[in-house]
Amino acid sequence: MSSLIQQGLPLTSARGPLLQFLRFRGKINIQRPKDPHYERARVIAVTQPKYPKVSQALTCFQSRAERMGAQVDNPYNAIIAREVRNWLDHSKLVAIYHLNSITSDEIFRVRVQLHKQNLHLKAYGRKIIAQAVAGTQYEAILPLFHSNHCIVFSPDQQRVGALLRLTRKVPQMVLLGGIVEQTLLSRNELMDFAQMPGLQAAQAQLVQTLNMAAGNVVQQLQAHQCNLIKVLDVHAKGNQEQGQEQAQNQKQESEQETQT
Amino acid sequence: MSIPFSGTLRRSGGIVSAIGKQLRSVNLKGVKRITVQFDPFAENVKATREFLFLLSTPKVSQSNPKCIVKPDIVCDRSPAFIKFALIDSAQEQSKVKEIRFNSDNLNTLELLQLLNKHVSTLAPPEEIAKKVLTKAEKQKLGGGAGGKKPIKKK
């Protein structure tokens, strides 16, 4: 059956497809191609793809928009802003300084000295501080950060005296102001605060003043009695001395008598 | 037809390079003391603070190591100013004892320009230090005057 079909169809062959070999071991020519026939060349020319040409010269508005628009806020700024807010909330003392031109060596030395007193020297950028402080009670300190600055935080105790003493030696650090226990103080107020005695001393003074009122009355009532006692004391002492002198004289006389 | 060239060959570098250019020509030799007074909470003190910072840079302070820059902080919202106390020769030259800039409405570049215009010009001219002669030079001069010395062959 199959042989009958094959005899009827002349091109079919059981031997396989007709193969005509074009190349045999020679290298193919790719570098010097033959010019195409005119018709073929025409078709190729028409069917070449046209890509849209991007002009490299942008207009002024486009380049400015690229420049301005490309500044996306780094999310790390938010993390640092949170850290700043943390420091501000948990420090009893915050001092803000204007920083003149200073070498890293010197500022490191200052940082070490402050660290020994548990005072932490930090510096952040204005944008980050603005982000940290926007909408909070600390917004008033923002104008201090327009220029080169540094901040000193004291988390547990107020050591204003130590801080001022250390920073007085550094001419490049200029005190601008500070926050003491959530109260904003200007530079003069901060210096006065350093001169004031501590809280315990102030409390003792208050107690003393309160007691002075009552104490005054008591003192005035007892004044005459005290006076009398003093006078009697003096008198008694005088008598005592006289008696002692007399006793001494008698002793001397008796000794003289026994000698003779 | 081409028109003659008009415009700039180089673009300006902006305000920062202008400030840099002014800073390069700052000369504080005629000043003995600079007092910068400002209230940090007042408005418009940014320029004064920047100016103070620029005066403290090593390049500027090395133009006169004897000149003291003293920052003065006040708390009464008074307008900021900068005072330059001049040395004696500069005082004679300019017939004033000190120069004062009211910096409330000036920006940093203007402050520097004014500084260069009024203060840097009062710097005394530099004395050329007498050149120390080396031995070879002295010999040359001496040889030229009194006959060359015979060169000994070793």
Side-chain angles (χ1 to χ4, degrees):
Chain A
M1 178 83 171
S2 57
S3 59
L4 282 167
I5 293 169
Q6 274 165 18
Q7 273 176 7
L9 307 161
L11 284 175
T12 56
S13 158
R15 283 191 210 98
L18 177 70
L19 297 172
Q20 188 172 352
F21 295 98
L22 287 175
R23 287 186 279 280
F24 176 66
R25 287 201 329 193
K27 291 196 184 116
I28 57 169
N29 168 32
I30 202 167
Q31 289 179 348
R32 284 180 289 277
K34 198 170 74 175
D35 286 335
H37 186 267
Y38 177 74
E39 303 287 320
R40 189 185 172 100
R42 229 172 43 167
V43 170
I44 287 169
V46 165
T47 53
Q48 284 292 344
K50 273 191 183 163
Y51 298 111
K53 190 175 169 195
V54 180
S55 79
Q56 285 181 335
L58 299 167
T59 62
C60 301
F61 300 112
Q62 281 176 325
S63 57
R64 170 179 269 228
E66 264 183 16
R67 239 187 304 142
M68 296 301 163
Q71 288 168 2
V72 180
D73 269 341
N74 199 337
Y76 188 43
N77 288 353
I79 299 174
I80 304 183
R82 220 179 307 139
E83 185 193 317
V84 173
R85 183 73 199 283
N86 224 13
W87 272 112
L88 281 172
D89 285 335
H90 297 118
S91 308
K92 293 242 172 85
L93 164 68
V94 178
I96 300 152
Y97 288 86
H98 170 86
L99 203 58
N100 275 337
S101 184
I102 192 172
T103 56
S104 326
D105 252 347
E106 276 212 47
I107 195 94
F108 178 71
R109 232 169 271 150
V110 175
R111 184 172 280 144
V112 162
Q113 285 174 337
L114 288 173
H115 196 271
K116 288 185 180 163
Q117 303 286 329
N118 200 13
L119 295 158
H120 303 270
L121 182 82
K122 305 239 179 246
Y124 300 97
R126 197 167 75 86
K127 261 194 193 168
I128 288 176
I129 295 185
Q131 201 180 344
V133 141
T136 66
Q137 50 171 324
Y138 304 108
E139 222 166 350
I141 60 170
L142 258 186
L144 299 178
F145 298 107
H146 279 297
S147 189
N148 205 20
H149 66 267
C150 67
I151 317 176
V152 178
F153 295 106
S154 171
D156 59 352
Q157 234 192 62
Q158 296 162 17
R159 299 161 170 272
V160 192
L163 174 66
L164 290 180
R165 183 172 37 90
L166 289 168
T167 48
R168 205 174 301 143
K169 298 284 190 268
V170 187
Q172 291 97 334
M173 285 173 76
V174 181
L175 180 62
L176 298 177
I179 305 177
V180 173
E181 293 195 347
Q182 319 296 322
T183 317
L184 180 65
L185 294 179
S186 70
R187 177 209 161 90
N188 290 347
E189 287 171 3
L190 205 59
M191 317 261 286
D192 291 335
F193 181 78
Q195 300 299 322
M196 284 196 324
L199 185 66
Q200 283 183 343
Q203 285 171 341
Q205 263 189 351
L206 177 69
V207 166
Q208 198 189 27
T209 323
L210 289 172
N211 282 343
M212 224 167 64
N216 223 3
V217 171
V218 167
Q219 197 202 2
Q220 282 174 355
L221 286 173
Q222 290 182 335
H224 296 291
Q225 295 161 357
C226 289
N227 247 351
L228 186 65
I229 293 169
K230 276 186 207 156
V231 167
L232 287 173
D233 257 340
V234 165
H235 190 70
K237 267 195 194 147
N239 282 350
Q240 216 178 27
E241 278 172 12
Q242 271 184 5
Q244 274 180 357
E245 272 179 28
Q246 280 179 357
Q248 269 183 358
N249 288 341
Q250 280 178 352
K251 240 193 186 174
Q252 280 175 358
E253 283 173 11
S254 59
E255 275 172 14
Q256 280 173 357
E257 279 177 14
T258 47
Q259 275 175 8
T260 51
Chain B
M1 288 300 294
S2 66
I3 52 173
F5 175 75
S6 62
T8 52
L9 285 164
R10 275 176 257 174
R11 282 169 66 186
S12 112
I15 202 167
V16 178
S17 46
I19 289 179
K21 184 179 166 190
Q22 294 296 325
L23 274 179
R24 258 172 267 145
S25 41
V26 159
N27 192 341
L28 296 177
K29 286 215 163 54
V31 187
K32 63 182 169 198
R33 194 186 181 88
I34 305 177
T35 312
V36 183
Q37 181 177 301
F38 62 94
D39 180 347
F41 289 101
E43 293 164 3
N44 302 333
V45 285
K46 179 175 181 215
T48 320
R49 277 180 73 177
E50 296 278 329
F51 188 70
L52 172 63
F53 175 81
L54 291 170
L55 283 179
S56 64
T57 52
K59 279 222 171 109
V60 168
S61 46
Q62 268 161 29
S63 70
N64 186 356
K66 290 189 201 164
C67 174
I68 307 165
V69 178
K70 186 172 183 306
D72 216 352
I73 312 291
V74 288
C75 306
D76 50 8
R77 308 287 182 275
S78 55
F81 63 79
I82 302 159
K83 265 197 204 157
F84 299 88
L86 304 171
I87 60 173
D88 299 323
S89 65
Q91 280 182 18
E92 286 165 19
Q93 191 184 342
S94 65
K95 304 193 183 56
V96 282
K97 285 222 169 109
E98 58 180 32
I99 299 179
R100 184 177 144 137
F101 293 165
N102 290 331
S103 53
D104 222 26
N105 293 315
L106 295 167
N107 73 13
T108 321
L109 178 63
E110 284 164 1
L111 281 169
L112 283 167
Q113 283 167 341
L114 286 169
L115 174 77
N116 280 329
K117 182 173 161 194
H118 294 285
V119 176
S120 298
T121 47
L122 298 174
E126 267 184 42
E127 294 170 7
I128 302 164
K130 282 188 186 159
K131 203 172 132 189
V132 178
L133 292 172
T134 57
K135 198 173 177 184
E137 286 171 1
K138 276 189 200 158
Q139 253 185 11
K140 230 191 214 176
L141 288 174
K148 249 188 175 178
K149 275 191 176 169
I151 302 165
K152 280 187 185 169
K153 263 194 180 175
K154 278 194 180 168

